[in-house]
């Protein structure tokens, strides 16, 4: 069953979904990777690629799964994917993925072997760390999907810890490597997409939400792919033209942007419009994502399943999250479905002021014994 962790380990904007799709799908995507070019200390790169070059149908299906399972209902389709393969002992030093170069979110998909992503606060933000810690480590189990948005992109740097497998790999991963896909939308593509959505949206509330996203994107001027210099107006215009061409192709069905996994390939009920034939025909409306806003916190990661104590605590936190979700659904006037099954959402940063005070002992800070337990 898919589990969604919002603000995982207290890092705002870092959302994680575990156990979203089947091992058959994992194996297929893992094995379909392009020939890897070049290696940096055991980390090999097989990308980048985009929908008009090499883009397996499974990539599009993953994109739609991210929306359908509620991890990110308003996900802008990616137009860029980077494949990385990590040999045992390799790592990726902490860095930013610039908001000037990429859109709102970076999405990572973890295949073949678990990994650990770590977060280090940017200068001046050290107080975000629990006392005595210099990073926050988050385990990424096989088949998990993570989203870096908001503060996790702006106020934290992230890196991949030295790859040290803790579980035997599946038989089809003979080299015992971790493969990651990072899906991104380039900044100009993302802006063009949001504006087009805004134009066709008829619901006033949703239009306002889109406008807010557009306004927040405008704080970041687009930069060139190489070198990071600010793009000239002509360059921006060229990129806009290309983005519109790609989106037109999607609208005309020349790029099948609506592809879905089959129901048996995913671990949650697909919205009804997707389930019948594996994909939605062009122009069909997909039911709003199966998301509900949960609450509460979850200790540890999915790898902790053998630890009875944590399991028990997690079960009680999950029921707390469900209680909160029920309360919130009662308050919710947006008409979102409240009967979604098979998805558990937990929010590791409570957005309920009252709960926040209780959890922090009144000082407004997260209690560190809760947020940093992982592997
Ligand atoms: O391997 C990963 O999951 C993350 C890689 C990364 O941070 C990046 O490509 O920018
Ligand atoms: Fe990165």
């Amino acid at each position: 069953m898919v589990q969604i962790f919002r603000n995982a380990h207290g890092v705002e904007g870092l959302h994680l979904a575990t156990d979203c799709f089947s091992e058959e799908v994992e194996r297929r995507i893992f094995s379909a990777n392009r020939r890897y070019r070049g290696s940096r200390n055991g980390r090999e790169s097989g990308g980048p690629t985009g929908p008009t070059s090499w883009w397996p149908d499974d990539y599009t299906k993953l994109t739609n799964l991210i929306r359908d399972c509620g991890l990110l209902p308003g996900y802008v389709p990616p137009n860029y994917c980077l494949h990385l393969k990590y040999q045992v002992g390799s790592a990726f030093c902490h860095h930013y993925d610039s908001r000037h170069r990429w859109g709102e979110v970076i999405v990572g998909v973890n295949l073949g072997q678990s990994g650990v992503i770590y977060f280090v606060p940017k200068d001046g933000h050290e107080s975000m760390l629990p006392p005595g810690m210099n990073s926050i480590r988050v385990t990424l189990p096989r088949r998990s999907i993570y989203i870096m948005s908001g503060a996790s992109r702006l106020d934290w740097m992230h890196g991949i810890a030295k790859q040290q497998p803790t579980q035997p790999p599946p038989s089809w991963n003979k080299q015992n490597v971790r493969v990651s896909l990072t899906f991104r939308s380039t900044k100009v593509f993302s802006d063009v997409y949001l504006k087009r959505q805004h134009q066709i949206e008829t619901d006033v509330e949703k239009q306002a939400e889109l406008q807010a996203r557009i306004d927040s994107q405008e704080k970041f001027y687009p930069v060139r792919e190489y070198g990071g210099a600010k793009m000239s107006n002509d360059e921006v215009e060229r990129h806009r033209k290309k983005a519109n061409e790609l989106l037109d192709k999607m609208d005309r069905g020349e790029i099948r942007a609506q592809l879905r996994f089959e129901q048996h390939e995913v671990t949650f009920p697909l919205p009804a419009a997707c389930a019948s034939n594996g994909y939605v025909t062009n122009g069909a409306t997909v039911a709003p994502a199966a998301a509900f806003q949960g609450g509460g916190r979850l200790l540890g990661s999915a790898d902790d399943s053998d630890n009875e104590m944590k399991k028990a605590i997690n079960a009680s936190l999950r029921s707390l999250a469900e209680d909160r979700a029920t309360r919130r659904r009662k308050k919710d006037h947006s008409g979102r479905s409240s009967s979604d099954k098979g998805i558990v959402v937990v929010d590791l940063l409570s957005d309920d002021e009252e709960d926040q005070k209780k959890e922090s002992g009144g000082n407004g800070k997260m209690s560190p014994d809760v947020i940093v337990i992982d592997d």
Side-chain angles (χ1 to χ4, degrees), residues 82 84 86 92 95 97 146 158 160 178 180 182 184:
L82 183 66
L84 293 173
Y86 295 78
F92 195 157
H95 61 276
D97 289 310
Y146 66 87
H158 63 275
I160 299 295
R178 166 182 182 256
S180 75
T182 47
R184 302 127 190 275

Side-chain angles (χ1 to χ4, degrees), residues 25-78:
V25 170
E26 181 189 18
R27 178 183 189 163
R28 201 164 68 215
I29 304 176
F30 179 96
S31 312
N33 274 321
R34 297 204 310 173
R35 222 156 51 83
Y36 286 88
R37 327 172 302 194
S39 162
R40 258 191 214 181
N41 303 324
R43 190 185 80 232
E44 297 167 58
S45 168
T49 180
T52 51
S53 52
W54 190 84
W55 196 263
D57 284 349
D58 279 334
Y59 284 13
T60 307
K61 293 177 187 176
L62 274 173
T63 305
N64 289 321
L65 173 148
I66 289 162
R67 291 198 200 94
D68 295 339
C69 79
L71 181 58
L72 199 61
Y75 184 31
V76 174

Side-chain angles (χ1 to χ4, degrees), residues 145-211:
I145 303 181
Y146 66 87
I147 303 271
M148 279 187 289
S149 62
S152 71
R153 288 275 302 285
L154 292 173
D155 301 336
W156 297 85
M157 288 188 276
H158 63 275
I160 299 295
K162 200 167 175 177
Q163 186 62 18
Q164 284 166 332
T166 51
Q167 316 252 301
S171 59
W172 41 264
N173 180 5
K174 296 257 179 310
Q175 293 177 293
N176 199 4
V177 290
R178 166 182 182 256
V179 163
S180 75
L181 307 179
T182 47
F183 288 106
R184 302 127 190 275
S185 50
T186 53
K187 158 84 183 141
V188 177
F189 178 82
S190 172
D191 292 353
V192 168
Y193 176 84
L194 289 174
K195 284 196 180 132
R196 283 171 69 127
Q197 290 299 103
H198 186 266
Q199 264 166 15
I200 56 172
E201 185 56 71
T202 49
D203 180 296
V204 180
E205 222 172 279
K206 288 191 187 141
Q207 220 178 33
E209 268 170 40
L210 282 162
Q211 189 59 53

